[in-house]
Amino acid sequence: QVQLVESGGGLVQAGGSLRLSCAASGGTFRRYAMGWFRQAPGKEREFVARVSVSGAVTSYADSVKGRFTISRDNAKNTVYLQMNSLKPEDTAVYSCAAGYPGTNNYDYWGQGTQVTVSS
């Protein structure tokens, strides 16, 4: 069983930056691909970014490509999401998730951290 705890959310002005962290415990972190998702009020949860078990392969939603960077530190059991050039439409609860490589399923989810971007 893997526990995931996000941190780093907050209120930022448009054009600003935030760095989210997701700390994992209770399992073998390096076995899992890691993803970030977000859910805005009244909208469905959407994929943001994914990183492979080694960190060498990443993928992004078109809406964040070129602005967000996902990375991981397997020695610290932590995955990060660096968010630059933030826009009001990035406002959402951001959650990290862990899943087995080779699938698009995620088995473990964090509680989420609120990101609010003011215009």
Side-chain angles (χ1 to χ4, degrees), residues 86-107:
L86 283 161
K87 304 175 181 180
E89 51 263 44
D90 294 319
T91 295
V93 174
Y94 284 70
S95 300
C96 64
Y100 287 102
T103 77
N104 285 325
N105 298 323
Y106 291 87
D107 301 285

Side-chain angles (χ1 to χ4, degrees), residues 2-7 20-24 29 33-38 45 49 70 77-81 93-99 106-113:
V2 177
Q3 291 81 45
L4 302 172
V5 179
E6 301 94 339
S7 62
L20 305 184
S21 299
C22 170
F29 179 71
M34 298 297 297
W36 283 98
F37 292 78
R38 66 186 182 186
R45 184 172 60 198
I70 188 171
N77 291 351
T78 302
V79 62
Y80 304 98
L81 186 69
V93 174
Y94 284 70
S95 300
C96 64
Y106 291 87
D107 301 285
Y108 305 101
W109 293 83
Q111 292 296 312
T113 184

Side-chain angles (χ1 to χ4, degrees), residues 14-58:
S17 299
L18 282 174
R19 187 195 196 200
L20 305 184
S21 299
C22 170
S25 62
T28 305
F29 179 71
R30 64 176 61 86
R31 288 184 179 175
Y32 299 97
M34 298 297 297
W36 283 98
F37 292 78
R38 66 186 182 186
Q39 187 166 21
K43 295 186 176 181
E44 293 188 353
R45 184 172 60 198
E46 64 174 352
F47 167 78
V48 175
R50 177 182 172 98
V51 62
S52 63
V53 294
S54 68
V57 180
T58 58

